Amino acid sequence: MGPRCWRWWHWSAWPRTRQPPAGSTPSSRQQFSTQEQTTQICVVGSGPAGFYTAQHLLKHHTRARVDIYEKQFVPFGLVRFGVAPDHPEVKNVINTFTQTARSDRCAFHGNVVVGRDVTVPELREAYHAVVLSYGAEDNQALEIPGEELPGVFSARAFVGWYNGLPEKRELVPDLSCDTAVILGQGNVALDVARILLTPPEHLEKTDITEASLGVLRQSQVKTVWIVGRRGPLQVAFTIKVPRPRKRLTELLLRTATEKPGVEEAARQALASRAWGLRFFRSPLQVLPSPDGRRAAGIRLAITRLEGVGEAARAVPTGDMEDLPCGLVLSSVGYKSRPIDPSVPFDPKLGVIPNMEGRVVDVPGLYCSGWVKRGPTGVITTTMTDSFLTSQTLLQDLEAGLLPSGPRPGYSAIKALLSSRGVRPISFSDWEKLDAEEMSRGQGAGKPREKLLDPQEMLRLLGR
């Protein structure tokens, strides 16, 4: 039997994100006493990895002070800019992060780009320990001809656009085509397909930006293909139920092999929008329109698997398929960037080399989250990982492996930033912006209307 193409007709029937078990807590001997000096700790990045690291440190060391540095004006990273607007329950962790940020031993400093506004060595000089938790900001390139054509985007950029990431507000994708192809079969691919096909009226009460909703209202996209180079047993998306892989496989196989009943077949025939999974396909080239000015299709190599289980590799069979489409979204993975010349970095794996969160050969420097282990897992995976890095740091502190004596912490960095013309955004500043967003959303029945323009944010803060 040749490679299958499977089509599902329900825009609303989507696998949900699986929630792995929570992490462990350190032993009682790691509960630090109030008799010790203040331990100054810096966390770079205010997404889940950064906040969970800070939360754990503050809980298990009563004399720790944690400063969180963030390049964006606003906190919460991919919880704000990555989670799909129609999954608001996933964003409830923001309440926990807000409690952490409001602690009198924690401070948020937005609009500070570490590696540009302040260096990692300068942070290491000011703090007893530095934790890098800045995530995976780059997307993996397709490295095929035609990927520079208009109509080709990274799925991450598309997600940033509809979720209000300021640097993606100018993206404005052309949705005048009838078919879109998403390359990659992970959770982000599913989110993007769902947003493309969900009737706009079902998104009106979410925190999707009004600008992107306006574009989606004019969309002509009727069919979305989600393409993967391997088969159904290797898909990367997850669902929030026990035995997820078994359940997911059963669902895929039943959809592919069962003939729909009369009622279901009639409903499918009337469906205005459709999506489907295409397995055993690998991108070879983005095909240009006749005038060469935009994407008009994608050429796919048909593959087969070599090996067994999760280690199975997709290899070309020599056959090809051309799939017409006017929109190509690449969702084949993400990678972290090197942040500072002083920090070791593995460009192949896209991570900071580390042992249990300790950065190799740099004492007092740690990492957590995607920059530590690669861009895999969901928010609770990151929570567990961040707790473990925090635990490692506290063990090193207890063992006397971190610098002794007082460190100036933010007071030294504040002076440096001021001398360089950098004006950080505090958490109380964010709360003013937050109130403005909620006020703007209230009139439309939305939880918030996100602010997109940093200059407008500064005006609202009286800067």
Side-chain angles (χ1 to χ4, degrees):
M1 182 180 295
R4 285 186 173 273
C5 302
W6 294 346
R7 179 175 287 223
W8 290 2
W9 296 87
H10 305 273
W11 65 262
S12 59
W14 299 87
R16 305 285 282 186
T17 302
R18 177 168 57 94
Q19 301 293 320
S24 57
T25 56
S27 63
S28 57
R29 63 195 290 270
Q30 290 168 334
Q31 303 281 343
F32 290 80
S33 76
T34 56
Q35 303 305 310
E36 299 169 349
Q37 69 172 17
T38 297
T39 301
Q40 301 279 1
I41 303 172
C42 153
V43 172
V44 178
S46 70
F51 265 107
Y52 278 128
T53 301
Q55 173 189 324
H56 200 262
L57 289 168
L58 294 168
K59 179 179 180 181
H60 295 285
H61 185 357
T62 59
R63 292 283 289 173
R65 174 169 182 83
V66 180
D67 290 319
I68 302 174
Y69 292 90
E70 168 59 54
K71 72 171 189 174
Q72 299 288 343
F73 279 35
V74 300
F76 310 132
L78 284 184
V79 179
R80 176 178 169 95
F81 297 123
V83 174
D86 58 344
H87 283 185
E89 72 285 351
V90 181
K91 303 181 188 186
N92 289 339
V93 293
I94 285 177
N95 299 327
T96 304
F97 298 162
T98 296
Q99 290 177 7
T100 298
R102 286 175 175 167
S103 163
D104 57 6
R105 293 186 291 123
C106 184
F108 169 81
H109 309 290
N111 190 33
V112 177
V113 181
V114 173
R116 185 192 73 186
D117 300 333
V118 61
T119 68
V120 171
E122 287 168 339
L123 292 174
R124 292 181 62 217
E125 189 69 27
Y127 292 89
H128 292 95
V130 174
V131 185
L132 302 174
S133 307
Y134 60 86
E137 298 174 308
D138 273 351
N139 56 285
Q140 297 279 7
L142 292 171
E143 297 182 344
I144 61 173
E147 71 175 307
E148 75 290 343
L149 285 168
V152 182
F153 301 94
S154 76
R156 181 168 192 141
F158 188 79
V159 169
W161 167 70
Y162 66 65
N163 270 334
L165 187 62
E167 56 260 42
K168 299 302 179 187
R169 68 188 188 278
E170 308 289 346
L171 192 71
V172 193
D174 182 355
L175 304 183
S176 61
C177 59
D178 63 2
T179 302
V181 168
I182 302 171
L183 301 171
Q185 293 182 331
N187 286 342
V188 173
L190 283 183
D191 282 348
V192 168
R194 199 177 61 252
I195 295 301
L196 279 170
L197 294 178
T198 298
E201 60 268 22
H202 290 269
L203 297 172
E204 288 173 349
K205 303 305 180 185
T206 73
D207 67 357
I208 192 169
T209 68
E210 189 57 41
S212 58
L213 190 57
V215 174
L216 289 167
R217 285 193 183 103
Q218 302 301 314
S219 172
Q220 300 299 306
V221 175
K222 298 294 186 289
T223 303
V224 176
W225 289 108
I226 306 173
V227 176
R229 57 192 170 85
R230 298 195 293 171
L233 297 182
Q234 292 83 30
V235 291
F237 44 78
T238 53
I239 49 179
K240 200 195 302 186
V241 294
R243 304 184 301 282
R245 181 63 58 183
K246 181 174 182 288
R247 173 76 182 96
L248 186 58
T249 304
E250 289 171 352
L251 184 62
L252 289 169
L253 291 174
R254 190 168 69 246
T255 303
T257 58
E258 286 185 2
K259 188 175 180 180
V262 175
E263 197 173 302
E264 176 66 10
R267 192 185 63 77
Q268 290 184 5
L270 293 171
S272 60
R273 302 183 182 200
W275 69 285
L277 297 164
R278 291 177 90 94
F279 296 111
F280 304 109
R281 303 288 193 276
S282 180
L284 287 176
Q285 178 185 355
V286 178
L287 301 173
S289 58
D291 62 6
R293 298 179 65 178
R294 59 171 295 107
I298 184 131
R299 178 160 293 162
L300 303 168
I302 298 176
T303 63
R304 59 180 173 81
L305 292 183
E306 282 188 356
V308 294
E310 291 296 322
R313 291 173 55 250
V315 296
T317 63
D319 294 328
M320 293 182 296
E321 173 188 50
D322 288 352
L323 190 59
C325 62
L327 179 65
V328 177
L329 294 159
S330 168
S331 186
V332 294
Y334 308 102
K335 60 182 179 180
S336 298
R337 300 172 181 167
I339 192 171
D340 190 287
S342 70
V343 179
F345 190 78
D346 184 331
K348 186 175 180 182
L349 297 178
V351 298
I352 295 172
N354 69 93
M355 297 291 290
E356 298 179 326
R358 297 178 184 92
V359 176
V360 173
D361 296 331
V362 191
L365 188 62
Y366 301 83
C367 55
S368 67
W370 283 3
V371 76
K372 170 186 174 183
R373 70 178 192 278
T376 60
V378 291
I379 289 176
T380 46
T381 320
T382 297
M383 177 184 72
T384 302
D385 170 86
S386 301
F387 286 180
L388 291 173
T389 289
S390 170
Q391 202 169 326
T392 296
L393 190 161
L394 295 177
Q395 287 169 348
D396 289 354
L397 180 62
E398 189 178 33
L401 299 178
L402 296 183
S404 59
R407 289 285 170 115
Y410 182 63
S411 61
I413 302 304
K414 182 180 180 181
L416 282 176
L417 294 174
S418 178
S419 71
R420 294 164 185 171
V422 179
R423 299 184 65 183
I425 303 289
S426 68
F427 199 76
S428 61
D429 288 336
W430 152 245
E431 291 187 310
K432 292 173 187 172
L433 299 175
D434 183 38
E436 176 65 21
E437 288 187 347
M438 290 192 289
S439 174
R440 293 185 181 190
Q442 191 171 18
K446 302 174 64 173
R448 68 177 63 243
E449 185 58 52
K450 290 178 180 175
L451 296 164
L452 307 180
D453 183 356
Q455 294 305 313
E456 183 184 15
M457 295 183 202
L458 290 176
R459 285 196 300 273
L460 288 167
L461 293 174
R463 301 280 181 93

